[in-house]
Amino acid sequence: MQSYTIGRAARLLGVSPDTARRWADAGRVATHRDESGRRVIDGKSLAAFSVELVQGDGDDASYTSARNSFPGIVTGIKLGDIAARVTIQAGPHRLVSLLTREAVEEPGLEVGMQATARVKSTSVHIDRT
């Protein structure tokens, strides 16, 4: 079974290695030592933990039919007369959505704010969080 170092797991989860270490120290994700003595997380445990992170505690759950969500930060907005382009950095993922200008202005999207890109089929939906 594949195992991941704390640093690699952190990159896959979109957090800092310090955060991943704190989660491991708190027992949120199980680690063990490999033959080199490094702390590693087995692939199945990391996969289960990543699903748990996405599900969260449900307090801020949104109601949408789009299941593939990427919470992140808005890193770019380019407004045209009618259309707009929004870029979100969600962990290691850079997502770009082309949508109407109104769909950017109505929820008040701005660079630097948290947002969630939701992907359904070939469309990306942007939810302000």
Side-chain angles (χ1 to χ4, degrees), residues 10 20 36 43 67 69 73 80 117 122 125:
S36 301
R67 298 290 179 237
S69 61
I73 187 167
T122 58
H125 306 266

Short mmCIF file of all heavy atoms in Angstrom, two decimals, residues 10 20 36 43 67 69 73 80 117 122 125:
data_model
loop_
_atom_site.label_atom_id
_atom_site.label_comp_id
_atom_site.label_asym_id
_atom_site.label_seq_id
_atom_site.Cartn_x
_atom_site.Cartn_y
_atom_site.Cartn_z
N ALA A 10 0.26 16.89 3.22
CA ALA A 10 -0.16 18.29 3.38
C ALA A 10 -0.42 18.92 2.01
O ALA A 10 -1.43 19.61 1.81
CB ALA A 10 0.90 19.08 4.13
N ALA A 20 -0.74 19.65 8.97
CA ALA A 20 -0.84 18.19 8.86
C ALA A 20 -0.19 17.51 10.07
O ALA A 20 -0.74 16.54 10.60
CB ALA A 20 -0.19 17.71 7.57
N SER A 36 12.71 4.17 7.02
CA SER A 36 13.71 5.24 7.20
C SER A 36 13.47 6.04 8.48
O SER A 36 14.21 6.96 8.78
CB SER A 36 13.68 6.20 6.01
OG SER A 36 13.96 5.52 4.82
N GLY A 43 -2.10 5.29 2.50
CA GLY A 43 -3.00 5.85 1.49
C GLY A 43 -4.46 5.77 1.84
O GLY A 43 -5.22 6.72 1.64
N ARG A 67 -21.72 18.22 -6.32
CA ARG A 67 -21.02 17.45 -5.29
C ARG A 67 -19.52 17.69 -5.25
O ARG A 67 -18.89 17.49 -4.23
CB ARG A 67 -21.27 15.95 -5.50
CG ARG A 67 -22.71 15.58 -5.39
CD ARG A 67 -23.17 15.69 -3.94
NE ARG A 67 -24.56 15.35 -3.84
CZ ARG A 67 -25.49 16.14 -3.34
NH1 ARG A 67 -25.17 17.32 -2.89
NH2 ARG A 67 -26.74 15.75 -3.27
N SER A 69 -16.79 19.97 -4.77
CA SER A 69 -16.55 21.34 -4.34
C SER A 69 -15.09 21.54 -3.97
O SER A 69 -14.43 20.65 -3.44
CB SER A 69 -17.45 21.70 -3.16
OG SER A 69 -17.19 20.87 -2.07
N ILE A 73 -9.58 30.40 -2.23
CA ILE A 73 -9.54 31.86 -2.16
C ILE A 73 -9.54 32.41 -3.58
O ILE A 73 -8.90 31.86 -4.48
CB ILE A 73 -8.30 32.34 -1.37
CG1 ILE A 73 -8.34 33.84 -1.16
CG2 ILE A 73 -7.01 31.88 -2.02
CD1 ILE A 73 -7.33 34.34 -0.14
N GLY A 80 -15.51 41.85 -17.88
CA GLY A 80 -15.77 42.43 -19.19
C GLY A 80 -17.10 43.15 -19.14
O GLY A 80 -17.71 43.29 -18.07
N ALA A 117 -15.51 26.73 -5.42
CA ALA A 117 -15.82 26.38 -6.81
C ALA A 117 -16.52 25.03 -6.78
O ALA A 117 -16.01 24.08 -6.18
CB ALA A 117 -14.55 26.32 -7.65
N THR A 122 -19.60 19.87 -16.98
CA THR A 122 -18.55 20.71 -17.53
C THR A 122 -18.66 22.15 -17.04
O THR A 122 -17.96 23.02 -17.53
CB THR A 122 -18.61 20.70 -19.07
OG1 THR A 122 -19.90 21.15 -19.46
CG2 THR A 122 -18.34 19.32 -19.61
N HIS A 125 -19.47 26.18 -10.79
CA HIS A 125 -20.32 27.11 -10.08
C HIS A 125 -19.51 27.72 -8.94
O HIS A 125 -18.80 27.01 -8.25
CB HIS A 125 -21.54 26.38 -9.48
CG HIS A 125 -22.29 25.59 -10.48
ND1 HIS A 125 -23.38 26.09 -11.16
CD2 HIS A 125 -22.09 24.34 -10.98
CE1 HIS A 125 -23.83 25.18 -11.99
NE2 HIS A 125 -23.06 24.11 -11.90
#
